[in-house]
C-alpha cells in the first residue's frame, strides 16, 4: 500500500520542487504551430485553386469552340400568304396594305365589333435615325398644321414680348400668357407652363436663362417660334398637331377620327409623314422605315410606303440630265454659228 501513496505524493510535489523526469518537459509545453511550417500547406492550396480555375477556363473555351463548330439550325423561311383562315402568324410575313385599303379595313372592323364610330386613328412610325460617320438624328418634336382638324382642343401658347401693341395682338389671337422678362422666374419655378413658347427677336437675348429649362421648346427660327408676325405664330401653334420621338426611334400619334372621310384621314397622315421626313437629309435613306395604322380598338395594319413618302429626285440624276441637255445644246450652237 505504500507504493501507491508514494506515487501520489511525488505527483503532488514534483511540479513545486522542480522534479521533472526526462521527456516530461516536452509533454508539458503547449504545442505551437510555426507560421513557417504552415506556409507549404497554404501555397499548395493556392496552387490547387489556380489549377482548378485554369481547368474551368479551358473547359469553357472548349465548349465555345464546339458551339462555333456546330452549325446553327436553319430558320425556316417565312411564307408569303396563308391559304386557310386559321394559321400561325409567326410562319408568315406580315402583310402590307395600301393606305386606302387599310383605312377601309379599319372602318369595317368598327362595324363588325360595334365599337364607337368616332374613335381616334393612330399611326406608329418606326424611324431610321442613322447618319454617316456613325452619327444619328437626335430625337425631335415638332408641330404641323393638319389640313383637316379632328378635335376642338387648342394648345396653350405663351408669348414673350415687351411691346404693348404686340402683346395686345397676341391676346386678341388667343395667346394664353403674354409677358416679358418677369415671366422667367415663374417658368424656372414651374409656376407657369405652356405647350409652345413664342418670342419676338428683340427680347430673345434676355431669355437665355430659360434655354436649359425649355430645351426643345425654346423659341427658334427653325421651329417658326421666333419672329415678328405674332398673329400668324400664335394661330399656328394654337391649332397645330404636335408629335414627339419616343424610345429613340418611334413616333406614336393620333391623326384623325375614324368617322372622317377616307380622303381626310389620308391627307392628315401624309402631312405628318412629309413633316417627319424633313428631319433627315433627302439624299440619304428615308427616315421612315415602317408605318403602322390602327384605331383605338383594332389591330395594327402595316402600310405599304409606296405613294406615302415624299418623292425626292436624286441629285445625280438631275446632274446627268443637265449634262445631257448641255451636250445637246452645244452641237446646235455650233451649227448655228457656222
Amino acid at each position: 500500500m505504500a507504493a501507491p501513496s508514494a506515487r501520489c505524493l511525488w505527483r503532488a510535489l514534483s511540479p513545486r520542487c522542480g522534479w521533472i523526469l526526462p521527456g516530461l518537459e516536452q509533454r508539458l509545453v503547449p504545442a505551437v504551430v510555426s507560421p513557417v511550417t504552415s506556409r507549404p500547406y497554404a501555397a499548395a492550396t493556392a496552387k490547387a485553386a489556380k489549377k482548378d480555375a485554369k481547368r474551368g477556363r479551358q473547359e469553357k473555351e472548349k465548349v465555345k469552340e464546339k458551339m462555333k463548330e456546330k452549325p446553327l439550325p436553319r430558320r425556316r423561311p417565312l411564307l408569303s400568304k396563308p391559304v386557310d383562315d386559321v394559321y400561325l402568324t409567326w410562319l408568315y410575313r406580315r402583310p402590307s396594305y395600301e393606305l386606302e385599303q387599310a383605312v377601309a379595313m379599319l372602318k369595317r372592323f368598327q362595324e363588325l365589333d360595334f365599337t364607337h364610330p368616332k374613335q381616334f386613328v393612330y399611326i406608329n412610325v418606326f424611324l431610321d435615325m442613322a447618319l454617316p460617320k456613325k452619327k444619328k438624328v437626335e430625337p425631335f418634336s415638332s408641330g404641323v398644321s393638319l389640313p383637316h382638324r379632328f378635335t376642338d382642343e387648342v394648345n396653350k401658347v405663351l408669348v414673350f414680348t415687351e411691346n404693348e401693341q404686340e402683346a395686345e395682338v397676341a391676346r386678341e389671337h388667343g395667346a394664353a400668357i403674354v409677358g416679358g422678362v418677369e415671366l422667367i422666374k415663374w417658368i424656372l419655378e414651374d409656376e407657369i407652363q405652356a405647350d409652345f413658347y413664342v418670342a419676338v427677336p428683340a427680347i430673345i437675348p434676355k431669355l437665355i436663362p430659360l434655354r436649359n429649362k425649355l430645351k426643345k421648346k425654346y423659341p427658334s427660327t427653325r421651329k417658326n417660334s421666333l419672329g415678328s408676325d405674332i398673329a400668324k405664330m400664335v394661330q399656328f401653334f394654337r391649332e397645330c398637331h404636335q408629335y414627339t420621338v419616343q424610345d429613340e426611334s418611334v413616333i406614336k400619334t393620333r391623326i384623325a377620327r375614324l368617322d372622317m372621310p377616307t380622303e381626310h384621314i389620308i391627307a392628315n397622315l401624309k402631312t405628318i409623314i412629309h413633316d417627319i421626313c424633313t428631319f433627315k437629309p433627302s439624299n440619304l435613306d428615308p427616315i421612315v422605315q415602317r408605318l403602322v395604322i390602327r384605331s383605338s380598338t383594332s389591330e395594327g395594319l402595316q402600310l405599304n410606303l409606296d405613294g406615302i413618302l415624299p418623292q425626292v429626285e436624286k441629285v445625280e440624276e438631275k446632274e446627268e440630265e443637265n449634262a445631257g441637255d448641255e451636250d445637246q445644246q452645244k452641237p446646235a450652237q455650233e451649227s448655228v454659228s457656222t
Side-chain angles (χ1 to χ4, degrees):
M1 297 296 292
S5 61
R7 289 180 180 176
C8 294
L9 182 62
W10 177 80
R11 288 177 180 175
L13 295 176
S14 59
R16 297 180 183 179
C17 301
W19 300 344
I20 300 176
L21 296 176
L24 183 60
E25 183 179 3
Q26 297 178 357
R27 286 179 290 178
L28 294 177
V29 178
V32 179
V33 179
S34 173
V36 179
T37 58
S38 64
R39 287 177 185 173
Y41 299 101
T45 305
K47 190 174 182 180
K50 289 182 179 179
K51 287 184 178 179
D52 294 340
K54 186 177 181 180
R55 191 181 300 110
R57 288 195 298 269
Q58 291 176 352
E59 292 178 356
K60 288 182 180 180
E61 291 177 358
K62 290 180 181 179
V63 172
K64 289 182 180 179
E65 291 177 358
K66 290 182 180 179
M67 292 294 292
K68 290 181 181 179
E69 294 175 359
K70 184 179 179 181
L72 298 175
R74 295 181 62 183
R75 186 176 180 180
R76 183 178 179 180
L78 297 177
L79 303 175
S80 59
K81 188 176 181 180
V83 179
D84 301 326
D85 294 336
V86 180
Y87 58 93
L88 300 175
T89 55
W90 58 83
L91 295 180
Y92 296 86
R93 297 190 189 97
R94 187 173 183 178
S96 297
Y97 302 94
E98 297 297 329
L99 183 52
E100 295 82 357
Q101 180 186 5
V103 175
M105 291 175 65
L106 294 181
K107 292 178 177 288
R108 183 59 178 164
F109 292 159
Q110 180 271 322
E111 294 176 359
L112 296 175
D113 296 338
F114 298 99
T115 54
H116 198 274
K118 292 187 177 182
Q119 57 186 290
F120 289 113
V121 178
Y122 297 84
I123 57 172
N124 296 346
V125 189
F126 299 88
L127 308 176
D128 177 16
M129 309 288 276
L131 293 174
K133 299 181 179 180
K134 297 182 179 181
K135 296 182 179 180
K136 66 176 183 178
V137 179
E138 294 296 329
F140 55 87
S141 62
S142 179
V144 59
S145 179
L146 297 179
H148 305 284
R149 287 178 54 82
F150 58 90
T151 178
D152 295 332
E153 298 176 0
V154 293
N155 300 314
K156 186 177 180 181
V157 181
L158 185 149
V159 178
F160 289 106
T161 180
E162 293 180 329
N163 187 305
E164 188 59 33
Q165 295 180 354
E166 293 175 343
E168 187 64 26
V169 172
R171 295 188 187 96
E172 290 177 356
H173 287 80
I177 304 171
V178 182
V181 293
E182 70 276 3
L183 299 178
I184 295 178
K185 177 183 177 181
W186 302 106
I187 295 174
L188 292 175
E189 296 177 356
D190 294 328
E191 296 291 336
I192 295 178
Q193 294 181 353
D195 298 319
F196 294 96
Y197 297 84
V198 174
V200 294
I203 198 175
I204 198 67
K206 302 178 182 179
L207 302 181
I208 294 178
L210 293 176
R211 185 181 293 275
N212 293 332
K213 179 67 175 180
L214 300 182
K215 296 181 180 179
K216 296 179 181 180
K217 293 185 178 182
Y218 189 78
S220 66
T221 54
R222 184 179 179 276
K223 299 176 182 178
N224 298 321
S225 57
L226 176 62
S228 301
D229 194 344
I230 295 180
K232 183 178 179 180
M233 292 189 297
V234 172
Q235 184 177 1
F236 171 78
F237 286 108
R238 283 186 78 246
E239 300 178 355
C240 76
H241 177 74
Q242 187 179 16
Y243 62 86
T244 305
V245 176
Q246 305 173 8
D247 301 328
E248 299 292 333
S249 61
V250 181
I251 295 176
K252 300 178 181 180
T253 183
R254 59 187 185 180
I255 61 170
R257 290 189 182 272
L258 195 57
D259 63 336
M260 293 173 60
T262 301
E263 297 78 11
H264 293 183
I265 299 176
I266 293 174
N268 284 356
L269 183 145
K270 288 186 176 180
T271 301
I272 295 175
I273 295 300
H274 288 194
D275 187 71
I276 294 173
C277 291
T278 60
F279 286 88
K280 189 175 181 180
S282 58
N283 59 338
L284 302 177
D285 294 334
I287 189 172
V288 178
Q289 290 296 300
R290 194 156 60 91
L291 180 60
V292 177
I293 188 172
R294 65 176 180 86
S295 65
S296 301
T297 59
S298 73
E299 62 178 295
L301 303 176
Q302 184 166 294
L303 297 177
N304 186 359
L305 296 178
D306 295 338
I308 298 178
L309 299 181
Q311 297 180 356
V312 180
E313 297 181 2
K314 295 183 178 179
V315 179
E316 296 178 358
E317 294 179 356
K318 284 186 176 181
E319 291 178 354
E320 291 178 359
E321 292 178 358
N322 294 336
D325 295 340
E326 292 176 358
D327 294 339
Q328 292 177 359
Q329 291 176 1
K330 285 181 180 179
Q333 293 176 358
E334 291 175 358
S335 61
V336 171
S337 61
T338 54

